[in-house]
Amino acid sequence: MPSLLTDLEKNEIQACLDSVRDTFFRDIYVFIEKATESPNNIPSDFNPLYGSNKQTLSHSTSRNQLERVTIQAIVKYENFQDERVIDAQALMNLSASEGRVRLKVKKEGYEKLKISSRVEVDGGLYTLEGDAKHIGPFDSQYYQVNLKREN
């Protein structure tokens, strides 16, 4: 299907939008769990009560370590409801939008964000909520992700 804009015009519009978005990007921190293995020399028939060890076998123990990665994102705090709706939440079973954050990230940041366990925004910890949404006028170069407060 033919387009009203040429490829050159699309690239110029995309470059202008990128420069506007770059002014609003800021650093957020993403925590990614990495499994590390450490070798241990513990006998297979070791009894900690009696301390008997006849044969020593080596095996590895895996431990999870959190790696803190910095990515660039546009942060928007969502607050769509006023206090009256939040106070009536117990009666109407509504979920309040307090403690929710919307992020816009580039594709490189999204690759790290989707495997993260937690996200730190302005000192608060958040977890991913739902799937990402592709954003872009001509192609999806950005992703929109919703977060909710961890506690």
Side-chain angles (χ1 to χ4, degrees), residues 9-22:
E9 290 172 332
K10 287 180 183 179
N11 291 338
E12 288 177 4
I13 292 171
Q14 187 65 46
C16 290
L17 291 174
D18 288 342
S19 67
V20 168
R21 286 188 176 121
D22 285 343

Side-chain angles (χ1 to χ4, degrees), residues 30-36 63-69 115-120 125 150:
V30 175
F31 294 97
I32 300 173
E33 288 186 14
K34 298 250 179 176
T36 59
R63 300 171 193 256
N64 291 336
Q65 291 182 340
L66 285 178
E67 180 183 352
R68 184 177 177 182
V69 179
I115 60 171
S116 69
S117 59
R118 291 177 185 85
V119 180
E120 181 183 336
L125 288 177
E150 186 177 66

Side-chain angles (χ1 to χ4, degrees), residues 64-96:
N64 291 336
Q65 291 182 340
L66 285 178
E67 180 183 352
R68 184 177 177 182
V69 179
T70 304
I71 64 171
Q72 296 281 317
I74 297 174
V75 179
K76 180 182 179 197
Y77 289 93
E78 295 182 351
N79 191 7
F80 299 128
Q81 299 166 338
D82 60 357
E83 295 296 324
R84 290 175 291 135
V85 175
I86 293 173
D87 290 340
Q89 169 178 325
L91 299 175
M92 293 186 277
N93 200 15
L94 296 174
S95 62

Side-chain angles (χ1 to χ4, degrees), residues 34 102 129 132 147:
K34 298 250 179 176
R102 181 185 299 166
E129 180 183 44
L147 304 176

